[in-house]
Amino acid sequence: MLEVKGLSKSFKDLKAVKEVSLELKEGESVGLLGPNGAGKSTTIQMMSTGLIPSSGEVIYNNEDALKNPKQLRRDLGVVPQDIALYEELSAYENLLFFGRLYGLKGKALKTKIDEVLVLVGLSDRKKDRVKNYSGGMKRRINIAASLLHNPKVLIMDEPTVGIDPQSRSYILDLIKQLNKENHMTVLYTSHYMEEVEKLCDRIYIMDHGEVIASGTKQDLQNLMQEEETVWIETLEKNEAFKHALEDDQTITQVIESDQGYKVIAEKREDLLGDLFDYAKAHQMKPTALAIQTPTLEDVFLHLTGRKLRD
Amino acid sequence: MLNLLKKDILTISKARSEVLILLVMPFVLIAILGLSLGGLMTGSAEIEPIHLAIVDNTTERDGGMTILTDQGLPDEQATAIIENLKVNRQIMTVIDTLEKEQLLVAEKMTTEAANEALNHADVEGVLTIPDALTTQVLTVMNGGEATESLMLEVIDETTIQSQVLRQIFRRFTSEYNLMMSIQTIKGDTLVVPGDLPLGETKTIETTTEVSAFQYFTIGMAMMFSLYVASSISSNAFIEKKQDVLLRMMLAGEKPVRYLLSKVVSGYVLAVMQLGILFGLSQLLFDTFSDRSSEFWLTIIAVTFVYATVIGALTALLTSLTLMMPTDSVSGIFSGLVVTVFAFLGGSFTPVEQISPFIRTLGNWTPNGAMMTVYLQQIQGYSMTDSMPLLMRILLLSAILFIVAWGLFPKRRFS
C-alpha cells in the first residue's frame, strides 16, 4: 500500500536518515521504534510528502507519491508529535478549521466533527479552548483533527509523549480500535517499546538514521535466541559485584537499576549457578533471581549496546 | 481563503496579549500623551519665538497718488488715504507688536540673505513685500488687477512655527482686506474690491490646528498598526513550528492562498484596529468633534490605504519568518523596527521640531507617511495634496508583496 525505498535526508553535514526502506500493507499496524534522534520523525515526514527527501522513493498504490502526492495526501492522516492546533481556539473551532481545509462543509462537517469528538471522548469539552486542556486531552484532539477526512492510512509521531497513564491507555485503545474495527492502516512511531509491543503487527527498529532490524515481535525476539535475560533483585548495590559480572566473557550486558541488575548473557546451563557464585563472593544476598523473556528493549540493547531511552 | 482569514482573526482576537498590544496599549498611550501634552499642542505652554526674515522691496514714494488725484480727489485727501494704506508700514507695525510680546524675532534682509537663512533653517519663514504694493492695492480697489502680492515662504508647512506664522499672516491679510472693503464702500466709490494683492503663500492653506489628542490618536494608531504585521507573522512561525503548516499543506492548501490570506488578515485587522482606536478616541475624548461626513469618508479612504501597506508588510514578515529557524524576524521587527519607525514617523513627538531631515526620512516609513497624510486631512488639506504620499504607500505595498512572494518558501507547500 505505502512503501518507501532507500529514503535518505541530509541537513547540511548531518545525515538524518540513511537509506531507509519500509512498507505498510493495507490494514496492518506497523511500529517504528527508536530512541530520540533516531530519525523517525524525519522518516515519517518524508513518507507523508511533508519533507522532500535527498534521495529515495515513496510509493503509494504503485504510484510515485513524490511526483504526484495528491492521492496519498487525500488518503493520509498525520498526527504530528507537536500539538498541531491553535491553542487560543476551542476544540470545535479547530476541527471546523481543519475540516474546511479538507473541503468538508455544512452538515457533513458538523456531523463528522461530532463523530470524531465522540471517538476521542471530548464531546463535553468541545467548547473549551485547547490551551485549557490537559496534555492528554490535547493529544486526543490532535488525533481527532487528523481523522476528519476519513483517512485510509494514519501516521502517528509519538502521540503519547508527556501524558498521564490513563490518557496513554485511552489513546492506545483508540488506535487499536481504528486499526482493528475501522481497518485503518497505522504507522506508529514511539520510543516506548511497550506501546509498540501492544499495538503493532510488525516493527521496524531505527537508530542513527538507519533501520537496524525489522519483523514481527517474535522475529525480533529470535534475534536474541542465543542469549538469555536474567533479573537479579538485590537490597543493596555493589560496584565490585557489577565489575565481576562485566568481566565475565559470556555476559554481554549488565544494566543497573534501583531494584537490582539485569544481565544479558549467552545461554548456558550453569549461568544461574555462576551468578549465585558471583553474589556470594561479593557478600551480596539476592532476594530474587529470574530468567526473563527478552523484551524489545533487550533487543534494542542487544543490537546497539544502548537503552532505548538513553 | 475565508477559512484562513477567519482563523487568523479569531486567534489574534482571542489572545489576551495580542489584544493588549494592539488595542489597550495604544489607547492608554493616547490618553496619557493627550492629557499630559495637551498644553503644548494647544499653545498654552511656552514656545520659542519664531524667527522671521523680512524682505521689503518697497521703493515707491507716492504709493499711487496719481490714481486718486486722477479720480478728482484733492491732494490733501489723497495723501491722507495713501498714508492709511501703506502696506509695508502696517505689516511692520504688526511685527513690532509681536516682537514686543516675544512671539517673533524679525530681521530685515535682502532676498539672497533671506533665502540662505531659510535654507540653513536659521529662520522659520521669509516674508517678502513686493515693490509698489500700495499702488497695487489702489489698482485693485479701482477694479484693476494686481501683478504682485505679499508672499510668505515657510521652511516646512507641518511645523508648529510655520502654522503660527501662517495664522498671523492670514489674520493680517483678512483684516486688511476687510478694512479696505469697508473703506471703499464708505468712500462712496462704486468699485467693489476683488481679491486685494495680499495673502499669497507658498505653503498650503490650512484651516484647523491639530490638537494633542488628534496628534497622538494618529501617532499611536500608526505605530501600533505595525504590530498587526508582527503578530500575524509570529503566529505563522507557530504554525510552522507546531506542524499546523504541515497539516495545511497535506490538506492541499496552496502557497499563494496561504500568503494572500496573511495579506488579507493584516489588512482586515489593521482596518478593525484603526476603526476601534479612532472610534474610541472620538467617543471618550471627542477628538474629532464637529467634523463633516466628508472628513470621515476621507479618513476611511486613507485608512484603507494604510491597511494595504500593513497587509503587504505582514506578507513580507511571514515569508521571512518561515525562512528562519527561529521567530527572530517578528521579534526584531516588533522590538526594534517599530520603535525606530515610530520615532522617525513622529508618533511620539513632532519630529520636524528636531530636524527637517528626520521629517523627510519619516515620510519614507509607512507609518510616518500615513501620519502626515492623516494630519494633513485633519488640517483641511485636499486629497490632491496628500496624493503623492498615498501613491508612495501603494507603490511600497506592491514592492513589499512582490519581495514577500519571492522569498516565500514555496517548496514547503509543493
Side-chain angles (χ1 to χ4, degrees):
Chain A
M1 188 180 198
L2 178 60
E3 191 180 1
V4 298
K5 287 181 184 171
L7 218 52
S8 296
K9 183 69 187 178
S10 298
F11 298 103
K12 292 183 181 167
D13 294 335
L14 175 76
K15 273 203 140 189
V17 174
K18 302 166 201 164
E19 296 284 328
V20 165
S21 296
L22 54 90
E23 186 187 7
L24 297 182
K25 289 178 185 144
E26 194 166 353
E28 74 174 344
S29 174
V30 174
L32 190 56
L33 185 69
N36 289 329
K40 303 187 300 291
S41 296
T42 309
T43 301
I44 63 167
Q45 274 193 35
M46 290 189 286
M47 269 185 96
S48 59
T49 72
L51 185 68
I52 299 164
S54 305
S55 63
E57 291 176 89
V58 178
I59 298 157
Y60 181 62
N61 288 340
N62 301 319
E63 269 198 46
D64 187 341
L66 293 176
K67 280 186 186 157
N68 180 19
K70 223 170 183 176
Q71 199 198 340
L72 173 59
R73 287 178 180 181
R74 198 176 50 229
D75 292 349
L76 191 65
V78 175
V79 183
Q81 190 173 352
D82 283 311
I83 306 296
L85 300 166
Y86 295 99
E87 299 239 329
E88 294 292 345
L89 304 188
S90 69
Y92 194 81
E93 286 166 336
N94 267 290
L95 295 176
L96 267 181
F97 171 70
F98 288 111
R100 283 179 185 141
L101 279 183
Y102 279 101
L104 296 170
K105 50 187 148 184
K107 206 177 169 190
L109 173 60
K110 286 180 180 165
T111 308
K112 191 67 204 174
I113 289 173
D114 289 340
E115 193 184 301
V116 294
L117 281 169
V118 170
L119 201 63
V120 297
L122 287 171
S123 294
D124 54 337
R125 300 286 304 272
K126 67 180 179 184
K127 291 199 171 160
D128 291 5
R129 290 189 192 195
V130 171
K131 72 173 182 181
N132 296 329
Y133 278 8
S134 68
M137 289 161 76
K138 284 181 185 176
R139 290 274 163 204
R140 277 143 67 184
I141 206 75
N142 201 29
I143 294 171
S146 63
L147 299 174
L148 288 163
H149 61 296
N150 294 321
K152 290 179 182 162
V153 182
L154 187 64
I155 294 183
M156 310 179 93
D157 191 1
E158 309 222 18
T160 58
V161 169
I163 59 173
D164 57 278
Q166 286 86 353
S167 291
R168 173 179 292 183
S169 173
Y170 190 101
I171 288 174
L172 294 182
D173 288 345
L174 171 67
I175 297 164
K176 198 125 197 157
Q177 182 191 339
L178 291 170
N179 175 236
K180 300 297 175 202
E181 293 174 23
N182 300 28
H183 311 292
M184 213 174 265
T185 306
V186 175
L187 176 64
Y188 188 89
T189 76
S190 179
H191 62 267
Y192 296 120
M193 57 92 190
E194 62 275 15
E195 290 182 356
V196 174
E197 276 184 334
K198 182 179 174 183
L199 286 176
C200 303
D201 307 322
R202 285 194 303 119
I203 299 152
Y204 289 85
I205 299 179
M206 275 190 85
D207 191 37
H208 295 305
E210 290 175 292
V211 172
I212 55 171
S214 66
T216 62
K217 185 183 165 189
Q218 190 58 53
D219 292 339
L220 293 171
Q221 283 171 336
N222 286 345
L223 291 172
M224 294 183 68
Q225 61 187 350
E226 302 296 319
E227 287 172 301
E228 220 155 27
T229 304
V230 182
W231 170 244
I232 308 167
E233 195 173 295
T234 59
L235 295 173
E236 59 202 1
K237 296 288 158 58
N238 187 321
E239 275 301 301
F241 170 65
K242 190 183 172 192
H243 288 311
L245 294 174
E246 284 169 342
D247 290 342
D248 189 317
Q249 295 297 310
T250 65
I251 294 175
T252 49
Q253 294 285 338
V254 180
I255 303 141
E256 191 178 323
S257 71
D258 290 344
Q259 289 82 32
Y261 300 89
K262 184 189 248 189
V263 173
I264 298 172
E266 287 173 13
K267 274 186 181 166
R268 55 190 171 90
E269 279 183 8
D270 51 354
L271 178 62
L272 290 182
D274 285 351
L275 292 176
F276 268 120
D277 289 343
Y278 283 127
K280 198 176 173 184
H282 293 87
Q283 286 84 48
M284 297 280 287
K285 288 179 182 165
T287 52
L289 204 71
I291 295 174
Q292 294 181 328
T293 311
T295 63
L296 289 179
E297 181 87 47
D298 298 331
V299 174
F300 186 79
L301 193 69
H302 166 78
L303 292 168
T304 66
R306 291 183 294 118
K307 286 205 278 186
L308 261 170
R309 278 158 236 177
D310 272 350
Chain B
M1 174 76 91
L2 201 64
N3 190 28
L4 295 170
L5 171 66
K6 200 174 163 189
K7 174 263 302 172
D8 273 342
I9 291 172
L10 269 179
T11 46
I12 286 191
S13 62
K14 283 190 168 190
R16 219 172 283 169
S17 58
E18 303 291 351
V19 174
L20 195 75
I21 290 173
L22 298 179
L23 288 176
V24 179
M25 265 178 71
F27 191 72
V28 168
L29 284 170
I30 290 167
I32 293 170
L33 293 170
L35 289 169
S36 59
L37 301 176
L40 182 74
M41 305 293 281
T42 53
S44 61
E46 266 188 31
I47 59 166
E48 290 289 309
I50 300 159
H51 292 82
L52 180 70
I54 313 268
V55 179
D56 190 354
N57 293 325
T58 309
T59 55
E60 63 179 353
R61 286 181 182 277
D62 62 357
M65 181 95 167
T66 48
I67 298 171
L68 295 175
T69 49
D70 286 352
Q71 288 183 346
L73 277 178
D75 281 0
E76 280 177 14
Q77 202 176 340
T79 309
I81 290 172
I82 296 295
E83 281 305 305
N84 244 349
L85 280 179
K86 277 191 176 167
V87 185
N88 58 333
R89 204 175 57 196
Q90 294 202 28
I91 288 170
M92 289 317 294
T93 309
V94 172
I95 286 170
D96 281 347
T97 313
L98 293 169
E99 280 194 302
K100 277 177 194 157
E101 289 173 8
Q102 296 184 327
L103 291 171
L104 204 70
V105 177
E107 193 182 341
K108 282 197 172 181
M109 294 184 190
T110 62
T111 308
E112 293 75 22
N115 286 338
E116 202 178 325
L118 191 67
N119 289 337
H120 288 99
D122 295 333
V123 293
E124 272 88 32
V126 175
L127 182 68
T128 305
I129 306 167
D131 188 20
L133 192 58
T134 311
T135 308
Q136 299 218 32
V137 169
L138 279 171
T139 308
V140 172
M141 285 171 75
N142 281 286
E145 279 190 13
T147 52
E148 279 189 281
S149 60
L150 197 61
M151 185 186 285
L152 176 69
E153 197 174 348
V154 292
I155 194 162
D156 184 340
E157 66 268 25
T158 56
T159 64
I160 287 173
Q161 281 85 350
S162 303
Q163 288 177 29
V164 172
L165 272 178
R166 273 205 311 272
Q167 289 298 327
I168 295 168
F169 183 62
R170 276 177 59 80
R171 188 162 296 176
F172 170 76
T173 52
S174 14
E175 280 178 12
Y176 188 88
N177 286 345
L178 180 68
M179 189 184 78
M180 285 305 104
S181 307
I182 293 165
Q183 209 161 35
T184 307
I185 295 160
K186 272 186 177 173
D188 292 335
T189 316
L190 289 175
V191 180
V192 178
D195 289 332
L196 291 170
L198 297 168
E200 186 188 330
T201 71
K202 278 197 170 178
T203 60
I204 305 151
E205 288 288 324
T206 62
T207 54
T208 319
E209 284 182 357
V210 178
S211 73
F213 271 110
Q214 287 171 341
Y215 188 89
F216 290 115
T217 297
I218 302 299
M220 292 302 111
M222 295 303 100
M223 176 185 171
F224 281 85
S225 279
L226 296 172
Y227 287 119
V228 168
S230 57
S231 290
I232 296 174
S233 65
S234 191
N235 280 358
F237 179 76
I238 295 170
E239 287 176 338
K240 179 181 85 163
K241 191 180 164 216
Q242 294 186 344
D243 283 338
V244 177
L245 204 60
L246 175 76
R247 272 204 164 134
M248 288 190 203
M249 184 200 75
L250 294 178
E253 197 54 70
K254 298 276 181 293
V256 68
R257 223 159 58 161
Y258 177 79
L259 192 63
L260 276 175
S261 79
K262 297 294 175 194
V263 175
V264 178
S265 300
Y267 182 93
V268 171
L269 280 168
V271 168
M272 285 167 70
Q273 182 202 33
L274 293 169
I276 292 170
L277 286 178
F278 293 162
L280 274 179
S281 184
Q282 166 66 19
L283 202 68
L284 296 178
F285 306 125
D286 199 21
T287 306
F288 307 99
S289 56
D290 303 327
R291 293 297 184 140
S292 64
S293 52
E294 194 186 342
F295 167 79
W296 284 109
L297 284 174
T298 308
I299 292 298
I300 290 168
V302 169
T303 300
F304 286 160
V305 174
Y306 187 43
T308 309
V309 79
I310 295 295
L313 200 55
T314 306
L316 179 67
L317 292 183
T318 300
S319 290
L320 288 169
T321 296
L322 294 183
M323 285 170 69
M324 304 287 172
T326 64
D327 193 15
S328 53
V329 174
S330 305
I332 291 169
F333 183 80
S334 58
L336 183 70
V337 178
V338 171
T339 315
V340 173
F341 275 21
F343 169 72
L344 292 176
S347 282
F348 297 113
T349 182
V351 281
E352 59 272 11
Q353 288 181 350
I354 302 167
S355 144
F357 172 71
I358 295 181
R359 171 77 274 168
T360 309
L361 206 62
N363 275 346
W364 282 97
T365 63
N367 55 308
M370 289 310 294
M371 184 155 176
T372 304
V373 172
Y374 276 106
L375 292 177
Q376 283 177 343
Q377 294 310 311
I378 289 169
Q379 290 172 94
Y381 287 53
S382 72
M383 274 298 263
T384 318
D385 297 321
S386 302
M387 206 46 83
L389 283 176
L390 291 172
M391 293 311 292
R392 183 186 293 179
I393 286 298
L394 289 173
L395 184 68
L396 180 67
S397 306
I399 292 169
L400 287 175
F401 183 76
I402 290 166
V403 174
W405 178 243
L407 295 175
F408 188 77
K410 300 168 201 73
R411 279 190 69 183
R412 186 174 280 278
F413 282 83
S414 59

